[in-house]
Amino acid sequence: MLQRVFVDANVLCSRTLRDWTCLLRLRTDGMFQLHTTEDVLAETVRTLRRKHPTLPGGAVTRLRAAVLGAVDELVEDFDATVAYGGPDPDDRHVHAAAEACRAHVLLTDDRGFASDDAANDEVYRSDDFFVLVDDSAPAAVRDVVRQQTRYWASRPDEKRRGLADALRDAGCPAFAARVESHLRVLAGGERPAPERIR
């Protein structure tokens, strides 16, 4: 069954998490859809601007366009008065929008959310969600690993990062270990695991 995944701003603010989320969506067509809102995009831009005040305007425009290119639905309307039991009232809009789009998964690294906060959606941290995708579609994940490896190899030395290290730095240690396994397979050091049936 196609899973509807609502993506929170803290996932989109991290280049590593954003890239993996969007690339996995594109590589696993038919496995899950991505949904978000203008509110989440605005929060993403505001956070990025605060973290990187000298970022050129064009970079923000390109980032927003890239996210919109990977997202299946920009939820335009939702009832922000729905019941919400989370500790942070600023997260009410995320919960309300996830409910409005009938999300199966709320993808957030915000520790303030718990599965019992959400009526129709299950809360996943990025690390758990990426591992779940790898459990279901390891060949697709390996394709993204290959694509990411080529991209980072083409970057100047001072901008290169190891894929697994970047994932660990972004709070995804379990998925980083999976990526290291895929890298060994791609280097010819291991046999690939058989594809699992979704």
Side-chain angles (χ1 to χ4, degrees):
M1 178 173 89
L2 183 71
Q3 296 290 296
R4 299 171 65 84
V5 178
F6 187 88
V7 186
D8 196 3
N10 52 49
V11 175
L12 297 176
C13 286
S14 162
R15 177 176 186 156
T16 300
L17 301 181
R18 180 179 63 247
D19 285 356
W20 279 98
T21 301
C22 293
L23 290 170
L24 288 172
R25 161 59 188 97
L26 296 172
R27 278 281 192 255
T28 59
D29 193 34
M31 180 184 237
F32 64 92
Q33 294 177 333
L34 296 177
H35 307 265
T36 198
T37 61
E38 286 289 354
D39 288 342
V40 167
L41 291 176
E43 186 178 339
T44 301
V45 169
R46 185 179 69 245
T47 302
L48 286 172
R49 180 58 65 202
R50 193 171 41 233
K51 287 168 114 176
H52 307 284
T54 60
L55 196 66
V60 173
T61 301
R62 286 188 298 279
L63 179 141
R64 187 177 188 285
V67 169
L68 288 175
V71 168
D72 296 279
E73 179 190 21
L74 195 60
V75 181
E76 293 182 2
D77 196 18
F78 52 88
D79 178 6
T81 66
V82 296
Y84 171 66
D88 185 352
D90 291 336
D91 287 332
R92 174 182 289 277
H93 72 97
V94 173
H95 169 75
E99 278 198 11
C101 75
R102 299 178 320 281
H104 300 102
V105 171
L106 170 56
L107 182 58
T108 182
D109 281 10
D110 186 336
R111 297 290 175 190
F113 280 105
S115 284
D116 57 357
D117 293 337
N120 299 320
D121 45 306
E122 208 171 329
V123 178
Y124 274 86
R125 307 287 175 253
S126 298
D127 197 27
D128 299 325
F129 182 72
F130 296 158
V131 166
L132 183 66
V133 173
D134 189 49
D135 283 345
S136 299
V141 173
R142 192 170 307 113
D143 285 344
V144 175
V145 169
R146 184 181 296 112
Q147 179 182 0
Q148 288 276 65
T149 302
R150 285 183 191 136
Y151 171 78
W152 286 106
S154 72
R155 304 290 288 162
D157 286 345
E158 70 276 4
K159 294 190 177 185
R160 286 187 193 171
R161 291 193 70 195
L163 296 182
D165 289 338
L167 283 162
R168 276 189 280 276
D169 290 347
C172 296
F175 188 63
R178 299 284 187 103
V179 166
E180 287 174 329
S181 179
H182 286 299
L183 287 167
R184 286 191 295 274
V185 168
L186 291 170
E190 283 183 16
R191 294 183 62 197
E195 186 75 20
R196 295 166 187 87
I197 298 174
R198 287 188 234 171

